[in-house]
Amino acid sequence: MAQEKQIAWDLYHSYQNFKEKSLTNRRFKHSDIVPLIEQLQNKKNFKVNKVGKSVEGRDIYLISMGSGKTKVFLWSQMHGDEPTATAALLDMFNFFSDDSAFPELKNLILSNLSIYIIPMVNPDGAEEFQRRNIVEIDLNRDVLRQQTPEAKILKEVFDRLKADFGFNLHDQGRDYSAGNSFNPASISFLAPSPDYEKSLTAPREKAMKLIGNMVTVLNEFIPGHIAKYSDDYEPRAFGDNFTKWGTATILLESGGWRGDREKQFLRKINYISILSALNSIASGGYANTDISVYESIPQNEKFMMDLILRNLKITRDNMEYVIDIGINYDEVNVDEAKDFYLKAAIEDVGDLSVFAGYEEFDLSGYTIEPGKTKPVAYHSLNELEKINPAQLYRDGYTNVALNNTDFKGEFTYLPFNIILNQKSFGESKIKPEESANFIIKKDGEVRFILVNGFLIDISMVESWNCNSIVYGK
Ligand SMILES: [Zn+2]
């Protein structure tokens, strides 16, 4: 194990040399990765094949490496908005393209394993940055009916390979925590059940040992941030069936990491995880791991929120209460799903002491009130840009009214929200599912403001770098 950990650290420190630098965020498309895959054809370690087309006609590729007798099949992004592992696989192709670095590790892997990879199983979903494919079918619930070309391709390749190991690479929600810790579940694993009884078959046990090995390595980098996905049997899912059909299948889910919405750190962790796993399969080292390591991984729980404001005083009917407020940001796709803006909503109010925030602020001694809309309508964006936000906030306003039928857009980067064309916008309420626009006072004066879920200290208004919302579209 000591040697495996050392190799993982070497991979960690040399990552920048192999990172595919053209991929910088999560919203890359099929057209961004095709040239990177095509150029592998000229490299000696790779074979590149097209194995079919998506509903919208995008090519799906199978890339293979190595000549060993143990077969390993990896596939990513069955869900179009789950791209973290796809980027890590492209980083890994760069790693295997370079002959000079890690020659012993590469030789061990390529001589003992035959590796087959489908990056981006769902390119049409990736185009829209949505989970399902373009006809709204979840590919990971289509293994039985096989209605989609993408699921058919995955099943055909699986049947042809009958691989010893399978890696089912996904992303999971940011709201998952590692057990009831205050840590996001940054990587979650599962050795899927082959049946409703959750039988411990030989392939499943092999998967558990390998996961235990991967967790031991990852504990070097992200201790306390690893969890285990629910092992309830899902007869429509690929991983469960692949286990049933004899392949030791590993589900790997990339979750959240503080300060890493674009998951570039978790992409690096994916790269290290996958290469470490290949190393361990090639050496056979994983087989020495006891399945108790797998069994002791904490469950995925849902105790994370994007932002928690704690210990605020609120007055209702002359009674004072102390509340915490939890807020989540929804990503809304724009610019042909190449970009997004954030839309905040209150997730929960009350005693949130069992939850943790990606960001948290203790506001003991402060009072909270709903943000209001300034009761004077403006007529142009030009006028809005001249507003002094600090003054607006001090008067208790988080929103302004704009009467302009030509105005387009669902959001702006102005530090206040826009209520368009006198759409009714009664005072917002501080309760779940409402928008998150508040004023926060101490000694009767506004000290902080929350606009679209982003906290601003009103003495530092110029630090605003978020988006606000246009209501009434
Ligand atoms: Zn998924």
Side-chain angles (χ1 to χ4, degrees):
M1 227 32 245
Q3 201 198 350
E4 290 188 28
K5 286 180 186 173
Q6 185 54 53
I7 289 173
W9 275 112
D10 293 344
L11 292 168
Y12 182 91
H13 290 302
S14 61
Y15 174 68
Q16 282 303 321
N17 302 337
F18 306 108
K19 182 180 180 181
E20 177 45 56
K21 297 199 173 56
S22 66
L23 307 179
T24 58
N25 61 49
R26 291 168 297 147
R27 285 164 197 261
F28 57 84
K29 307 296 179 200
H30 183 258
S31 57
D32 296 311
I33 68 164
V34 165
L36 303 172
I37 293 171
E38 290 280 355
Q39 71 176 13
L40 296 174
Q41 309 208 62
N42 313 319
K43 306 233 163 106
K44 74 169 192 219
N45 288 330
F46 298 91
K47 287 197 196 77
V48 178
N49 287 296
K50 292 177 185 173
V51 283
K53 285 181 191 292
S54 67
V55 173
E56 291 190 326
R58 295 187 175 89
D59 289 318
I60 294 173
Y61 288 86
L62 179 68
I63 296 114
S64 52
M65 296 183 287
S67 55
K69 76 174 199 304
T70 302
K71 289 185 192 167
V72 183
F73 180 29
L74 304 99
W75 63 97
S76 71
Q77 217 170 341
M78 297 177 74
H79 295 138
D81 57 353
E82 299 179 10
T84 304
T86 303
L89 291 171
L90 286 146
D91 299 336
M92 192 175 83
F93 294 150
N94 289 345
F95 173 83
F96 281 105
S97 299
D98 179 327
D99 282 335
S100 59
F102 296 87
E104 285 165 28
L105 177 62
K106 279 178 203 145
N107 185 45
L108 177 78
I109 290 173
L110 296 177
S111 61
N112 285 286
L113 309 181
S114 291
I115 303 166
Y116 302 87
I117 297 165
I118 301 182
M120 199 183 271
V121 176
N122 181 6
D124 301 350
E127 203 67 20
E128 307 292 328
F129 207 69
Q130 66 178 32
R131 175 182 174 89
R132 293 161 183 257
N133 84 341
I134 204 68
V135 295
E136 305 299 341
I137 290 177
D138 183 337
L139 303 185
N140 208 22
R141 299 291 178 269
D142 195 32
V143 73
L144 299 178
R145 288 198 180 164
Q146 298 266 312
Q147 292 204 92
T148 58
E150 299 91 349
K152 255 185 230 154
I153 290 164
L154 190 54
K155 174 71 162 54
E156 279 165 13
V157 172
F158 174 85
D159 286 344
R160 184 144 53 84
L161 296 176
K162 300 230 177 303
D164 301 280
F165 291 89
F167 287 82
N168 189 7
L169 304 167
H170 290 252
D171 284 77
Q172 66 181 8
R174 289 164 55 84
D175 50 344
Y176 283 109
S177 53
N180 57 5
S181 75
F182 284 169
N183 294 332
S186 307
I187 299 287
S188 290
F189 288 103
L190 177 69
S193 298
D195 51 33
Y196 283 110
E197 292 71 39
K198 306 183 181 181
S199 302
L200 185 59
T201 56
R204 188 166 186 230
E205 192 173 352
K206 222 156 75 166
M208 286 179 179
K209 287 182 172 182
L210 181 57
I211 291 170
N213 179 280
M214 294 168 79
V215 167
T216 309
V217 171
L218 285 190
N219 273 335
E220 295 285 304
F221 306 97
I222 54 167
H225 290 78
I226 301 167
K228 189 164 53 186
Y229 211 82
S230 161
D231 66 351
D232 288 346
Y233 178 59
E234 171 48 79
R236 302 166 299 166
F238 273 87
D240 305 54
N241 282 287
F242 284 2
T243 305
K244 182 163 79 184
W245 298 327
T247 292
T249 305
I250 287 98
L251 173 72
L252 190 159
E253 301 262 357
S254 300
W257 183 259
R258 287 191 173 90
D260 186 29
R261 181 168 279 276
E262 289 303 325
K263 299 202 190 191
Q264 298 302 295
F265 174 68
L266 291 183
R267 163 185 173 183
K268 176 174 173 176
I269 293 297
N270 265 256
Y271 163 88
I272 294 166
S273 304
I274 295 166
L275 281 170
S276 294
L278 295 177
N279 176 27
S280 189
I281 297 169
S283 71
Y286 76 91
N288 303 320
T289 309
D290 198 275
I291 64 165
S292 63
V293 180
Y294 176 83
E295 284 164 344
S296 65
I297 304 170
Q299 291 289 334
N300 252 358
E301 303 286 355
K302 287 200 168 180
F303 289 128
M304 295 301 300
M305 296 179 187
D306 281 318
L307 172 67
I308 297 182
L309 306 176
R310 298 203 184 271
N311 304 313
L312 283 153
K313 271 190 286 187
I314 190 164
T315 305
R316 291 270 165 88
D317 302 329
N318 296 319
M319 287 287 289
E320 218 171 59
Y321 302 86
V322 173
I323 56 168
D324 307 324
I325 302 179
I327 290 159
N328 280 334
Y329 308 117
D330 242 8
E331 291 184 9
V332 184
N333 287 335
V334 292
D335 187 20
E336 298 176 322
K338 290 187 193 103
D339 203 354
F340 66 94
Y341 68 90
L342 294 174
K343 189 168 189 179
I346 299 174
E347 183 68 28
D348 204 352
V349 176
D351 176 359
L352 303 185
S353 55
V354 301
F355 293 95
Y358 281 86
E359 283 188 291
E360 297 207 2
F361 296 94
D362 185 352
L363 293 165
S364 301
Y366 290 85
T367 60
I368 185 167
E369 297 170 15
K372 294 178 294 190
T373 303
K374 190 173 176 178
V376 183
Y378 295 85
H379 295 91
S380 72
L381 202 56
N382 198 22
E383 280 176 16
L384 300 185
E385 281 162 358
K386 288 182 188 143
I387 292 173
N388 174 355
Q391 187 57 51
L392 190 77
Y393 301 155
R394 267 185 242 116
D395 295 340
Y397 302 123
T398 51
N399 320 316
V400 300
L402 176 66
N403 286 344
N404 183 335
T405 49
D406 294 334
F407 186 84
K408 301 265 186 293
E410 301 164 350
F411 70 101
T412 76
Y413 293 104
L414 292 166
F416 43 78
N417 302 305
I418 295 173
I419 309 301
L420 201 57
N421 299 325
Q422 305 195 327
K423 275 269 158 55
S424 81
F425 192 77
E427 191 163 294
S428 61
K429 295 195 172 65
I430 299 178
K431 65 175 196 181
E433 294 177 29
E434 290 285 317
S435 56
N437 302 302
F438 316 132
I439 55 172
I440 295 169
K441 291 181 175 173
K442 192 170 200 174
D443 304 326
E445 281 185 18
V446 177
R447 298 292 182 85
F448 293 98
I449 200 111
L450 210 82
V451 171
N452 187 32
F454 297 106
L455 188 71
I456 313 159
D457 179 334
I458 75 154
S459 65
M460 298 169 63
V461 169
E462 62 288 348
S463 68
W464 170 266
N465 62 352
C466 308
N467 71 264
S468 55
I469 300 295
V470 178
Y471 294 101
K473 291 297 291 184

